[in-house]
Amino acid sequence: LFSPPADYTPVCTTELGTVALIQEEFTNRNCKVIALSCDDVTSHQGWIQDIKATQKVAEFNYPIISDPKREVAVAWGMVDPDEKDAKGLAMTCRAVFIIGPDKKLKLKLLYPASTGRNFAEIIRVLDSLQLTMYHSVATPADWSDGEPCMVLPSVSAADAATKFPNHKIVPTPSGKNYLRVTPQPNLNGMPKAPIKVHGLPMSASTLPVVATLAEAGLPYEVVVVNVMEGAHLKPEFKAMNPMHCIPTMEDSGFTMWEARAMAKYVCNSYKTPPNLYPQDVKLRSLCDMALDFHQGTYYPKVTAVVLYPIVGWAPPVDDAKLKEAEETFKADIWPAMQKIMKMAGGSVLGGAKINIADFFFATHIQATVSKVPNSFVAKHDGLKKYLAAVKAQCPNWDKYMGGAVADFYAPAK
């Protein structure tokens, strides 16, 4: 949030033009931009045309709050008592506010009316705020994204060795080991901000993506999209995902849908455990095959038949359809799963260690077992052993699956 003193003023024109030109920098950091001026909407609309023409701005895509009564400006302490407009009313100062996802103020800057804002510095501060929100570091003087950081004094020597194995202690005449420098912790290995997964926490399509993020140790946030109430059909959601399906994922301005592609993207983009999406060509090919097998066979022939009718996401099925699904599972699907495990060399689809294909199968199996405890899925000894083997390698299982089971996939009464 930033406030220009008035519309049709020279310095403000360059400032709003600059923000429009670099708006993608804010979007890539999951940061929304809004300006405030004490002039009315008609004035804003005319001024925007001047900004576009003089500052070479093709698109002006962020809003300007109209605050002619100074209500917002006074509430936020933006009014400069020394600057008056032609009517003698106090003007807003050149204020900048950064509000965090917790709705708390993280930064407040005040510039004199005669000095334009340095938006490169504001982006630098935003990078620092997002980095230090998720990592126990501070950024030194003149730091910029990608440069070394300081380990916080509150981090013990033992924890520093674990969290920042490459940190170094700078010798001091005092002999005190308080200057600890570490490479920036989120370079390539961690997202700059939590990855947003738009969906339903209990959805069998959302859960595998959440499992991938949780077991990889990456920060994430589930944004609830209640498809039962048509939230996925709202214009703002369709603008993000024209297919209006869940889950949909946002990563610092990059948006995608299709759950299996999301899991691959996470593993290809960040430092995830190597077993999740192996580099070995054969193991990766088996993982891809298992993902395709899940999407094309297990999901439509098992989950969609056994689970979805029970939770109301598909029409009811008769006993003949359920019997057909069970026979197909026993004759074709389970032998195929066993074959993939054997080729991978272990008791899970990844072989000795789980991969992202295991997240898709295991979350679907767990949801079915929890909601339909009398189904052939819940009673199958092979699936019981497989599910136990996957869960044994998932330290965060209860974090995402436990809540989903409690909220939605609890056994039917």
Side-chain angles (χ1 to χ4, degrees):
L1 169 64
F2 69 107
S3 56
D7 293 2
Y8 297 106
T9 51
V11 176
C12 300
T13 299
T14 65
E15 289 181 319
L16 270 74
T18 296
V19 172
L21 290 170
I22 65 170
Q23 188 176 355
E24 186 176 358
E25 295 292 332
F26 291 99
T27 300
N28 289 343
R29 291 164 172 81
N30 282 338
C31 181
K32 294 181 180 179
V33 177
I34 190 168
L36 178 143
S37 173
C38 291
D39 292 298
D40 59 32
V41 172
T42 301
S43 175
H44 293 346
Q45 292 171 338
W47 186 31
I48 287 173
Q49 300 310 311
D50 283 2
I51 294 170
K52 293 172 69 174
T54 62
Q55 306 303 306
K56 297 181 173 56
V57 173
E59 298 290 338
F60 194 99
N61 291 325
Y62 63 90
I64 305 174
I65 299 171
S66 175
D67 188 31
K69 295 182 179 180
R70 275 69 170 170
E71 293 173 340
V72 179
V74 170
W76 283 77
M78 297 178 175
V79 175
D80 187 342
D82 297 326
E83 295 289 335
K84 311 285 186 181
D85 63 12
K87 298 178 181 178
L89 297 173
M91 298 168 63
T92 51
C93 57
R94 295 192 194 284
V96 178
F97 299 89
I98 296 180
I99 299 99
D102 56 0
K103 306 291 193 298
K104 293 182 179 179
L105 182 66
K106 304 299 181 183
L107 172 78
K108 179 178 181 179
L109 289 175
L110 296 176
Y111 285 73
S114 58
T115 304
R117 280 160 279 214
N118 184 336
F119 287 99
E121 166 64 7
I122 292 168
I123 288 176
R124 186 188 81 91
V125 175
L126 181 58
D127 283 337
S128 175
L129 286 170
Q130 292 184 334
L131 169 67
T132 57
M133 184 180 296
Y134 304 107
H135 302 279
S136 303
V137 296
T139 55
D142 298 327
W143 171 89
S144 61
D145 189 31
E147 295 181 348
C149 307
M150 316 301 293
V151 179
L152 290 178
S154 58
V155 179
S156 68
D159 287 344
T162 301
K163 291 182 176 181
F164 311 108
N166 296 318
H167 83 278
K168 299 183 183 304
I169 299 174
V170 179
T172 61
S174 68
K176 297 182 184 296
N177 296 329
Y178 63 93
L179 283 176
R180 298 179 292 178
V181 181
T182 184
Q184 182 173 321
N186 70 345
L187 284 180
N188 299 320
M190 294 288 282
K192 290 186 175 180
I195 294 174
K196 293 183 178 181
V197 182
H198 299 260
L200 285 170
M202 64 284 198
S203 163
S205 57
T206 302
L207 278 170
V209 179
V210 172
T212 301
L213 293 166
E215 299 302 338
L218 299 176
Y220 69 92
E221 173 189 357
V222 177
V223 181
V224 176
V225 180
N226 194 332
V227 295
M228 281 80 79
E229 296 179 357
H232 62 307
L233 300 176
K234 292 183 177 180
E236 56 268 29
F237 188 83
K238 294 180 72 173
M240 179 173 58
N241 176 359
M243 293 301 295
H244 51 84
C245 57
I246 61 168
T248 297
M249 188 171 73
E250 281 186 287
D251 182 18
S252 297
F254 176 72
T255 304
M256 64 185 304
W257 52 94
E258 297 299 339
R260 294 157 191 81
M262 293 178 201
K264 293 181 184 180
Y265 166 83
V266 168
C267 295
N268 287 329
S269 301
Y270 300 107
K271 291 180 180 178
T272 58
N275 55 286
L276 293 188
Y277 197 44
Q279 292 298 314
D280 178 86
V281 174
K282 290 183 178 179
L283 287 177
R284 175 168 284 207
S285 296
L286 287 174
C287 181
D288 288 334
M289 181 172 72
L291 287 169
D292 291 346
F293 178 58
H294 181 273
Q295 182 176 28
T297 304
Y298 187 91
Y299 173 76
K301 293 184 180 294
V302 179
T303 300
V305 177
V306 181
L307 174 64
Y308 278 8
I310 298 297
V311 298
W313 291 356
V317 296
D318 55 26
D319 290 342
K321 187 71 173 178
L322 286 171
K323 185 65 176 177
E324 179 185 350
E326 181 176 2
E327 291 174 352
T328 300
F329 175 80
K330 290 179 177 179
D332 300 324
I333 297 175
W334 176 242
M337 291 178 65
Q338 288 181 300
K339 178 67 174 179
I340 295 173
M341 291 183 227
K342 184 177 180 179
M343 287 191 291
S347 58
V348 294
L349 296 171
K353 294 185 177 181
I354 54 173
N355 62 20
I356 54 176
D358 286 302
F359 294 146
F360 282 85
F361 277 90
T363 54
H364 279 225
I365 293 166
Q366 179 67 74
T368 306
V369 168
S370 300
K371 191 64 179 178
V372 200
N374 293 320
S375 66
F376 67 84
V377 174
K379 295 177 180 179
H380 192 274
D381 288 337
L383 285 184
K384 289 179 183 179
K385 293 177 182 179
Y386 167 73
L387 187 59
V390 173
K391 290 168 67 175
Q393 295 190 42
C394 293
N396 295 299
W397 181 268
D398 289 338
K399 178 180 179 181
Y400 49 88
M401 198 69 217
V405 168
D407 292 342
F408 192 77
Y409 289 123
K413 296 181 180 179

